[in-house]
Structure formats: structure tokens, C-alpha cells
Amino acid sequence: MTQTQSTCPYCGVGCGVIIESTGPQITGVRGDPTHPANFGRLCTKGSTLHLTAASPVTLQTRLLTPQHRPQRGDEPQPIAWEAALDTAAQKFADTIARHGPDAVGFYVSGQLLTEDYYVFNKLAKGLVGTNNIDTNSRLCMSSAVAGYKTTLGADAPPTCYDDVQHAQCLFIVGSNTAWAHPILFRRIEDAKAANPGMKIIVADPRRTETAGLADLFLPIQPGSDVMLFHGMLHLMLWEGWVDSAYIAAHTTGFDALKALVRDCTPARVAEVCGISEADLATAARWFAGVGAGASAGAARQPTLSLYCQGLNQSTSGTAKNAALINLHLATGQIGRPGAGPFSLTGQPNAMGGREVGGLANLLSAHRDLANPQHRAEVAALWGVPEVPGTPGKTAVEMFQAAADGEIRALWIACTNPAQSLPDQATVRRALERAEFVVVQEAFATTATAQYADLLLPATTWGEKTGTVTNSERRISRVRPAVPAPGDTRHDWAIAVQFAHRLEARLRPGRPTLFPYATGDGEAERGAEAVWNEHRESTRGRDLDITGLSWALLDAQGPQQWPCPAGTADNTDADADPSAPPRPLGKARLYEDGVFPTADGRARFAANAWQPVAEPRQARYPFSLTTGRLRDQWHGMSRTGTLGRLFGHVAEPSVQMHPQDMARRQLAEGDLVHVTSARGAVVVPVQGSTDVGLSQAFIAMHWGSEYLSGQSSTGTPLAGVNALTTPAFCPTSKQPELKHTAVKILKAELPWRLLAMAWLPADSALAAREALAALMPALPFASCVPFSNNAPLAGPQRERHGVLLRAAGHEPAPDALIERIEALLGLDTPDTLRYADRRQGQRRALRLERQGGDTLLAGMLLAGDTRAEAWLKTLLQEELPAQGYGRLLLVPGGQAPSGAQAVQSRGKPVCSCLNVTDAAITAHLAQCHGTDADRLAQLQGALRCGTQCGSCVPELKRMVRATGPLAPASPQTPAALSI
């Protein structure tokens, strides 16, 4: 077995991993105990990375050879690499010749490595001569970038993860850290346990798992964040809690902000935000770091704020970020341990993309496109006459331009805009209207891949080499553990090879702009050359990394920027050689109060509160918010390959408050139409008091790959982002994905279908893809994998299944039902069958022998699906079925009388050990003592939460909800059993 140090490809925490491999196959993964981001910990997603790289997954889902479509709508056909790249170069060159360089666009990804990003940026702006290159980081972090630049002068988070241990107040706003950044949340839990006096404030429209740790939860109305921050500052001014000396010495613009927040009185803030004045006052005092009744001269405790998409994905995204940073500047809560505004990066390398200027308005090393000197510096570095000064199209604008016929050729790399961008009707019209679409991808199963004229297979996690930068400015190496499978190539190498062909057409006879080796066995040398060029671009900039080298990152591990030349020479020569290497970069910024602005001062931003782009109204009376699930990642092209990651949240749903459901006479599981001004989805409804009245929630992951159907006009339904608005922040251009006004009405679809089956590991995912292709033929359909959720330590015991749920106005055609049965292995002669075509009723049940038992291996219920309540449990829990025989075909929802009880084990809470909510609840009924005591008893007995820890916030919530038992008498069996 070989072990390779690398980095997790999921969120911006940037956890180090050790990949275990044998020959060409990744066989295991564990956290790297030496990596300073995670110290060996991994979340549920990271802990299962090796399973997503298993051979059956690769063979069924990966794009392994170049493919092209001779005509739109055709099945893609294999094509040789040389022919594929020649075709792409000719198409792009022709488009540029006919319509100019701005007729092409590049849309790339925060999951690319820094080297990939750098080459694409140089390709677009240096060779093609267009700034039409943007990234899905625009949907993620552009408001954070704009907020930092507006106030502090540079896109540089001034804090680090260690600040969690030093903070006395933690202000978490617009972030469900427990699910979106689980390993950072483990550190927060540790810090709280070590320092119970730390105050944690969580502001969020939903009561998330993160809110469960809060000392103060502020259930603010969607979009009211700026008003909340202004109201806190209003109280700080009134009470004398601001740091006047810091304001005078290190900032400008405070008078304008002071005048603005004068009107943000506690009464007004309470009304807009939907919180109490008392809670507002508590939040302001805790944030300011002063005790009750303290004066401005009292010792100030450090406050750290953590924030993410709730602030960023908004038409007021820049204002929200800046208003929060205003609070830090006004109270001097910056530039010291435990204090500062810390934007949590959503993607593994969104920070690296910002470093190389991989956005339509940026240039390398945090240079601004609008600055002529900056353009001249980059042009000189690249050896081109100039870099175009016309701003490029940002993500939403790019696809609108393609839909309008302005952009005619699109190159999409490592991202899935047909799932992730808002206003899917426009996005899909853009992909259909564009004359040539290249999709450079690792997975063939994305919605965007269905629109590609040319598909180029890329390497992915475990196969790539390069660097990424995490949320705390820490650069880590990504290393390959196994050879690239099939004909896949590294993303940066594909871009270089395309660039070589394109420059032969655009600037023939001139030296190449891309002198990087891409041949067999040269990937490491080529990637290092790209990184070295990027490093040189940072010289003298705020993110200067000229003190680092490829060899140093390999030898001494991850390093933070800035780390200018000479830093590595200043290490202690007398240090113990056996001790770990001393970090070279800078953990915290602005400790001296000097900021990267013209006068060295930070700038307060006076932006008035603005409501959401689409306020609730009579026609659309609900505020729909979106967010992450614990065990899924973005469009699920990777996590969606594992049925076990669907154990925690098995199927799509929309959450509503139970009172709203009761008013509309909706029952749990009813299908509803969720409709916005742009589109609709049909989805089951789920009651939850975590969402407020007149609010609703759908997870961001449910694209048309998993949730679809057909509208009344025959248009395929496009998942959650068919609803969301393309309205964006005027400064950051980040769209308001977090909030949409919708109406929710019961869907009258009386005919129902449930089909599910265990399938072989080497065909289950292919069957799911084939079933997903059938979803647009039905008014509602969802299709997901499932698993028996075997403990992670025993993957050989895991089974793989696929579940299809559908509904319609009338029974589906027999041919469609028969196709579904065939894909699920229900077309065998020994399948039990019942059919009443007049009533539209069908049942098909496949049994299999396993040891001494007969088990239900597959089933289809059509028309009358009431038996789901016990048949689904019988199948998924692998319970004996030999006592049923043909009783399985009896219509109705009740199990046959006299049959053994069918008892569900419940929903998995701990994915690592397959511990369910039912088991947890049952054991908690026997636990005594404090919340901490009962959690310890629970974990000691069931071991839930003792592996990756991702379920610990939910376990704590269940402990609190159960409440302690009265102390038992020493003589009772209950006391003796504890």
C-alpha cells in the first residue's frame, strides 16, 4: 500500500488527507494529523472520498475519453484528443475572427487548482484578448472579495483558524458552519468546551444545527443583515462601546456611517429583523467585548465573526460584508488574536482563483482590471502588448449574453451551470443557443454535459497535482496517488494544449505564451512552472509568496501568505531539527493597524439597508431560502455516487413551518408546486419548526439530475434553481441565490409510483442515470441512490440501491413502466406481479435468497403506493420476507395480518457507524445527568459521533430535546444499568 499526502476537494476549510492506494486504485483515506487545517479530522464527505474513487464509480460516472456530438441532441461519440483539441481551436478561432474576442467566454471553477486557474486566466486575457472569464466563485465569494476591498483595501481575510481558540465572542452570521464547514465547527465545539464563558451568537433565518451551539440565536428575517449590523452599531455608539481611539488612528469615513445608523433605532431594527430589542442589545454588547454596564475604557474581549453565503448571495452582498466589517473597525476588533472578520470560503480553491485573478474584473495577484498600471504589469509579465481594459461578463451576465446571442462559444471547466446558476430557463437557453459549447469535466453525469458539443475528460481528486489555498490563506499541495484513468488529462494541461493550437491560428510564428511541459511524465514539472510564474506575479503585492517554493511546500507543508522573499531565510538556525517546521507565513494581518489603502487607513462603508430583490407579496407569499445538506456537496456529481451519503437526507423536499402547512391543508409528504416568477418545481413538503412562518427551505443540491418532471406545457423541470433569481449585487455581481419569493400550492397528481431495488455495485449508478433520463416524461419525479448504510469500517457489507418516485395526473404508459422495471431488474420470470390496468394499479416484487432467508430485493408500486410504509422498510432494512409470499401483492397500505412486524430502524444520524435516530432516542430514555453527561453516555453506548464527528451537533440537539430523566433510585435497575 502507498500513502500520499494531499488535500480534500470539498469545502474551503482545506483539510489535509492521506490517500491510501494499491497500484492504480485508491483504497482508503484518512485525515492528515500534520495538516494545520484539520489535524487528522475529516467530515462525512471527506471520510468517504475513497469510495467515490472506487472502480465501479469511475467506470459508471467518469468521463474517460474525449467525445463530441456531430449534431445537437445526438449521443456523444468518441474522438481522439488531437482531433478534439484541433476542433476546439478551429471553432474558437473562427468565432473570434467573425465576431471578435468578446464573442467567446470561459466559465471555470473554484474546484480547479491554482495552476488550472492561472492558465485559463492567461488564455482568456492574454491570448484571446477577452475578459469574459468568470468562475462559479462568483456565486460563492465575490461579495466577500468586494467587502474586504471596500473596507480593508485588499481581498485578504485577516484572521486564521487558531483565532477560534482565542475569541471570547464568536459571531456566526449567514453560515450553517456545522454542515458547510464541519471540521472548523469541531474546533468551535472544542473551543467552547475549553472556555465555557465564550459567547456564541448565531444570526440566521433558520434554526440550523449551528444555532444549536449558540448562547444567543437571532432568527432574523431574510435579507435584514445590514439592518441588524447597523442596529448593533447604533447601540454601541449610544452606550459608548466603540473604540474611539482606534477609529481616529486607523480609519476614515466614520462620520458618514455614524449619521446613517442614527435612524437604525432598536425599535426599527427589531421590526425589520424580527428579533427583540433585548436580544439586539445583548448581541451588541457581546460583540463589542465589554461587560454589562462597562465603559469604553474597560478591557475589551476579542470577537471573531464567521460568515458565508447568507451574506454573500444577495443583491446587498457587498453592503452586508462591509457593514459587518464596520463593526470590527468601530470596536477595534481586528488585528489581534481572536478578533476579526473571517469570511469562510465555500469551495476548496475559491481563494486560489482570486489570487490569480480568475474573475472577469480581476487580474493576477489581486490586481484590478480597471487600473491601467495593473494591466501594464500583467501584460509585461505575460509578454503580450496589452491586457484588454473592457470589463468581462460575470457569471450571470455571461449566460445572459449567450442566451441573447452575444457570446457564441462557451468553454466550461469543472463546474455545472445547468444546476448551480440561478434562473435555469435562461441558462439552458444560453447553452442551446451558443454555437459551440465545450465542457471540460471529470464526470459525464452532470446536467451541463448534456448540452456539450465537445466533452473533454479531466483528472480529479487523487489524480491531480498542484496547489490550493484555503480560507485562512494557507497554500497546500495537491498530489496524485494514482495514475490518470482512461484518457483523462489535467485541467491546466488541457488548457495549455488548446492554447498552443489557438495561438498558432491567432498569432502564428510567435513564441508561445504557454511554455509549460504537458507530456507524459512531465505533469509535476509543468505544474511547478505554472506555479512559479504565478509566484512571480505576487512579488511586492499584498499576497506576496516569493518566499515560498514548490520544494519548500513539499518539505515543510502548507504555508500561509503573505510570505515574501527572505522569509524562509529568517528561520531559527538553532531550532531543534526534530521539531516540526516553523510556519513561514503570516497568521494574522493588520496587527499594526496599517491597511493596504492609499493612506494606510481602513474605510468605513456607509450603505443603507435595502430589502431583498423579491419581497414577499400576495402572489408569492413565501420567502424561499436555500442552503447545504450535511453530507452532500454542490451538484452532487461526486457525493451523489454514494447511496450512504443519502442516508441523512434521503430525498428532495421543501421545508415549511407546520402552521403554514395546516393553513393550506398540507400533510407531511404531500406533493406541492413551488413556483417563482421564473419557474417551478414539484417536490414533497416536510414540516419543520426550524423555518419561520411564511418561509420555506430547499437544499441547493437538488438539480434536475435528481429532481425533475414536466411542466404543464411539456417543459422539463430544472431543479431548485429553476426558481432562484438572477438579480445580483451591483458591486460584486453575485446573485441572490439565498432568497426567492415563491408560492406553494398542493399538487393534484393522484397517480403515484414508487420503484426501488438493490442492484450490483457495477451497474447501480448506470441504472440511476438511465432512470433519471426518464424523469421529464412525468409531471413529478425524483431519483436517488440509497444504501444499507453499513458502517464505514466494513465497506464490503455495503449494498447499492436506486429509488425512483414519480406522480402524474393519470397512469404512466405501460411502456414507460416496463422500462423502469427492466432498469431495476424487475423484468425477471420469478418477479411477483399484480396489475389492474383499469384502475391504473401495478405491483412488481422481486425476491432473492440470502443464506437461510428470503429478502425483498426490488419492488414497483404504481397507482396505490400506500404499502410503501412497510414494503420500503422490508426492502431497505433487509428484513426476512419468506413469511409473506403472494401476500406481498395484497392491495392497500397495511401489512398482511398475522405477518411478523416490520419495524424501521429509523433515519441514520451517524453515517460512519449507521446509528439511527430511533436507536439514539431509545437510548437517551435511559440516560441521566447534564446534557454533557447524557451525550457521553450515549456515545459510550452507541459510539455515534466518535468517528468523523459530523453528527455531533445533531446528537446535542437530540440530547437537549429529550431532557434529563429524574435521578433514579440507587436500587432501581435503571440506576444500576448506567
Side-chain angles (χ1 to χ4, degrees):
M1 181 182 71
T2 301
Q3 300 187 77
T4 305
Q5 286 182 301
S6 193
T7 310
C8 178
Y10 291 128
C11 77
V13 173
C15 295
V17 296
I18 296 176
I19 306 172
E20 299 169 355
S21 59
T22 300
Q25 185 59 55
I26 292 173
T27 57
V29 66
R30 66 182 191 275
D32 184 349
T34 69
H35 198 289
N38 60 316
F39 299 107
R41 286 172 159 169
L42 290 178
C43 71
T44 52
K45 297 184 291 291
S47 299
T48 55
L49 271 167
H50 61 297
L51 301 179
T52 70
S55 179
V57 173
T58 297
L59 293 174
Q60 293 177 82
T61 65
R62 289 288 300 275
L63 182 62
L64 296 174
T65 186
Q67 298 181 9
H68 78 117
R69 287 186 170 89
Q71 300 291 331
R72 291 276 172 94
D74 289 353
E75 284 299 308
Q77 304 297 319
I79 184 174
W81 262 113
E82 299 305 306
L85 292 169
D86 285 342
T87 298
Q90 189 60 54
K91 292 284 189 181
F92 269 67
D94 288 348
T95 300
I96 293 166
R98 287 185 290 117
H99 306 288
D102 288 336
V104 304
F106 297 85
Y107 188 59
V108 297
S109 167
Q111 295 170 64
L112 290 174
L113 306 189
T114 301
E115 295 70 29
D116 305 326
Y117 249 131
Y118 184 88
V119 172
F120 269 113
N121 196 43
K122 187 177 184 181
L123 165 63
K125 296 170 183 172
L127 173 57
V128 175
T130 181
N131 290 315
N132 286 343
I133 176 168
D134 215 49
T135 162
N136 59 18
S137 299
R138 179 71 62 182
L139 315 181
C140 172
M141 299 309 301
S142 54
S143 292
V145 173
Y148 277 137
K149 292 174 68 174
T150 297
T151 54
L152 307 183
D155 174 23
T159 52
C160 61
Y161 295 150
D162 282 347
D163 282 321
V164 169
Q165 277 70 250
H166 297 285
Q168 282 298 116
C169 175
L170 203 58
F171 186 45
I172 304 175
V173 57
S175 170
N176 186 10
T177 318
W179 284 9
H181 300 93
I183 298 307
L184 177 59
F185 198 73
R186 302 286 83 77
R187 295 177 75 154
I188 294 171
E189 291 173 326
D190 292 345
K192 180 67 171 175
N195 177 20
M198 172 198 279
K199 300 299 184 183
I200 298 180
I201 309 168
V202 173
D204 197 301
R206 283 196 306 141
R207 187 178 290 273
T208 63
E209 297 295 352
T210 303
L213 192 63
D215 299 285
L216 176 64
F217 173 52
L218 303 175
I220 60 175
Q221 288 294 305
S224 64
D225 310 77
V226 170
M227 182 62 77
L228 172 67
F229 305 149
H230 285 352
M232 291 168 66
L233 183 56
H234 177 105
L235 281 169
M236 291 173 187
L237 285 163
W238 184 265
E239 298 290 345
W241 294 336
V242 299
D243 189 335
S244 299
Y246 190 91
I247 292 169
H250 303 294
T251 71
T252 62
F254 189 62
D255 287 344
L257 179 61
K258 185 176 178 180
L260 176 68
V261 303
R262 183 178 294 118
D263 294 332
C264 299
T265 62
R268 185 179 178 221
V269 172
E271 179 183 3
V272 171
C273 296
I275 60 174
S276 72
E277 294 183 39
D279 284 349
L280 176 67
T282 300
R285 177 164 51 83
W286 288 357
F287 189 104
V290 297
S295 66
R300 194 181 296 272
Q301 297 296 320
T303 292
L304 179 71
S305 61
L306 304 174
Y307 50 99
C308 198
Q309 306 308 349
L311 296 196
N312 296 337
Q313 290 179 338
S314 168
T315 48
S316 298
T318 303
K320 289 181 179 182
N321 277 262
L324 178 57
I325 296 171
N326 286 341
L327 295 181
H328 283 275
L329 296 174
T331 55
Q333 294 282 15
I334 190 170
R336 60 193 181 108
F342 195 174
S343 115
L344 301 179
T345 314
Q347 295 190 84
N349 200 34
M351 184 73 74
R354 289 143 63 179
E355 292 166 7
V356 303
L359 290 168
N361 58 315
L362 298 179
L363 290 172
S364 296
H366 289 178
R367 291 176 174 88
D368 284 323
L369 186 67
N371 187 318
Q373 181 180 341
H374 287 181
R375 294 200 303 273
E377 290 170 357
V378 172
L381 175 71
W382 287 346
V384 297
E386 62 179 3
V387 172
T390 304
K393 301 291 187 186
T394 61
V396 172
E397 295 170 319
M398 184 180 297
F399 283 84
Q400 183 64 62
D404 293 341
E406 181 181 347
I407 289 180
R408 296 167 182 264
L410 283 168
W411 192 298
I412 300 165
C414 193
T415 187
N416 188 13
Q419 186 274 337
S420 58
L421 277 169
D423 187 13
Q424 278 294 306
T426 297
V427 173
R428 292 170 183 231
R429 186 167 69 251
L431 292 168
E432 290 167 350
R433 187 168 183 188
E435 295 171 4
F436 190 64
V437 177
V438 179
V439 173
Q440 180 172 318
E441 250 294 348
F443 291 90
T445 52
T446 69
T448 307
Q450 309 310 311
Y451 293 88
D453 297 293
L454 186 64
L455 287 156
L456 302 179
T459 53
T460 186
W461 177 83
E463 305 153 9
K464 302 188 73 161
T465 183
T467 61
V468 292
T469 309
N470 73 357
S471 293
E472 62 172 351
R473 297 173 280 105
R474 190 180 298 278
I475 302 169
S476 295
R477 281 283 277 114
V478 173
R479 298 180 179 90
V482 294
D487 289 331
T488 60
R489 296 182 179 181
H490 298 312
D491 286 288
W492 65 267
I494 296 171
V496 167
Q497 292 163 359
F498 168 70
H500 287 163
R501 288 163 171 78
L502 188 60
E503 63 185 350
R505 292 166 169 82
L506 299 184
R507 52 197 310 270
R510 304 184 64 182
T512 182
L513 301 177
F514 304 87
Y516 320 119
T518 64
D520 293 342
E522 296 183 307
E524 194 73 16
R525 184 163 65 90
E528 181 179 0
V530 176
W531 186 84
N532 284 338
E533 188 174 315
H534 158 58
R535 178 187 64 179
E536 182 57 33
S537 77
T538 71
R539 189 177 298 276
R541 303 290 300 165
D542 66 292
L543 71 165
D544 193 327
I545 58 170
T546 52
L548 300 178
S549 69
W550 198 261
L552 188 149
L553 288 173
D554 272 333
Q556 298 195 34
Q559 302 293 332
Q560 289 174 282
W561 58 256
C563 186
T567 305
D569 301 331
N570 296 330
T571 53
D572 188 352
D574 298 325
D576 180 359
S578 64
R582 194 180 76 180
L584 302 177
K586 195 169 179 59
R588 297 176 187 88
L589 307 180
Y590 317 133
E591 293 168 300
D592 57 0
V594 178
F595 296 86
T597 58
D599 58 5
R601 291 171 173 262
R603 299 174 294 234
F604 285 101
N607 298 305
W609 169 74
Q610 299 289 334
V612 292
E614 289 185 347
R616 293 191 297 255
Q617 52 172 291
R619 187 178 178 189
Y620 299 109
F622 285 93
S623 289
L624 175 71
T625 59
T626 63
R628 297 179 189 271
L629 298 176
R630 189 191 75 183
D631 296 348
Q632 298 295 351
W633 173 251
H634 284 202
M636 303 194 291
S637 55
R638 182 186 297 278
T639 55
T641 63
L642 302 182
R644 66 180 304 113
L645 293 182
F646 288 78
H648 187 242
V649 176
E651 300 179 56
S653 69
V654 57
Q655 291 184 345
M656 295 176 65
H657 195 282
Q659 290 183 30
D660 285 325
M661 289 175 59
R663 289 192 194 100
R664 284 155 180 80
Q665 298 183 323
L666 296 173
E668 190 82 7
D670 279 352
L671 291 177
V672 294
H673 294 281
V674 184
T675 307
S676 75
R678 286 155 300 281
V681 294
V682 178
V683 66
V685 66
Q686 177 185 30
S688 173
T689 55
D690 294 340
V691 297
L693 291 169
S694 299
Q695 296 183 34
F697 173 82
I698 300 179
M700 61 172 278
H701 313 284
W702 301 118
S704 60
E705 298 95 325
Y706 299 91
L707 173 65
S708 187
Q710 185 183 100
S711 74
S712 59
T713 61
T715 303
L717 302 181
V720 62
N721 282 318
L723 306 172
T724 50
T725 174
F728 51 70
C729 171
T731 303
S732 70
K733 305 294 182 75
Q734 183 161 357
E736 191 157 278
L737 284 163
K738 273 294 177 186
H739 181 270
T740 304
V742 298
K743 59 183 174 183
I744 301 176
L745 301 172
K746 188 171 183 177
E748 300 297 340
L749 299 171
W751 182 84
R752 302 295 173 93
L753 177 142
L754 173 70
M756 59 188 301
W758 296 116
L759 295 169
D762 60 2
S763 62
L765 292 172
R768 199 213 73 83
E769 290 301 316
L771 287 166
L774 303 178
M775 290 197 293
L778 296 152
F780 157 74
S782 67
C783 189
V784 296
F786 67 91
S787 165
N788 60 350
N789 299 305
L792 192 56
Q796 69 280 359
R797 294 166 51 196
E798 187 161 6
R799 299 191 71 183
H800 306 271
V802 179
L803 182 151
L804 174 71
R805 194 180 296 277
H809 302 284
E810 56 190 21
D814 287 346
L816 179 59
I817 301 293
E818 290 164 4
R819 175 63 176 154
I820 293 170
E821 289 182 349
L823 289 169
L824 292 176
L826 299 173
D827 57 347
T828 59
D830 55 351
T831 296
L832 300 176
R833 296 185 178 281
Y834 163 82
D836 182 344
R837 286 177 170 79
R838 186 175 63 85
Q839 297 290 334
Q841 310 287 344
R842 296 176 68 131
R843 283 197 189 188
L845 300 109
R846 175 167 57 88
L847 301 174
E848 67 178 16
R849 296 287 297 176
Q850 194 173 103
D853 286 324
T854 298
L855 304 181
L856 180 60
M859 69 178 192
L860 181 143
L861 307 177
D864 180 4
T865 61
R866 290 174 294 169
E868 173 186 347
W870 65 279
L871 286 177
K872 184 172 181 283
T873 300
L874 193 70
L875 186 151
Q876 199 159 1
E877 303 287 354
E878 301 177 279
L879 300 175
Q882 55 264 29
Y884 295 104
R886 292 190 176 275
L887 293 175
L888 293 167
L889 299 177
V890 174
Q894 295 296 321
S897 60
Q900 64 263 46
V902 178
Q903 186 70 38
S904 171
R905 293 182 61 250
K907 183 194 78 169
V909 173
C910 175
S911 296
C912 298
L913 297 172
N914 191 20
V915 183
T916 66
D917 56 355
I920 292 166
T921 300
H923 190 80
L924 282 173
Q926 308 170 36
C927 296
H928 295 265
T930 66
D931 287 0
D933 292 337
R934 287 179 290 131
L935 178 63
Q937 293 163 29
L938 177 67
Q939 292 186 297
L942 303 183
R943 297 185 61 225
C944 46
T946 63
Q947 303 297 301
C948 76
S950 294
C951 63
V952 169
E954 188 166 356
L955 296 179
K956 290 181 176 178
R957 178 182 59 77
M958 296 179 74
V959 167
R960 290 191 302 270
T962 304
L965 295 176
S969 159
Q971 293 85 11
T972 63
L976 295 174
S977 68
I978 297 298

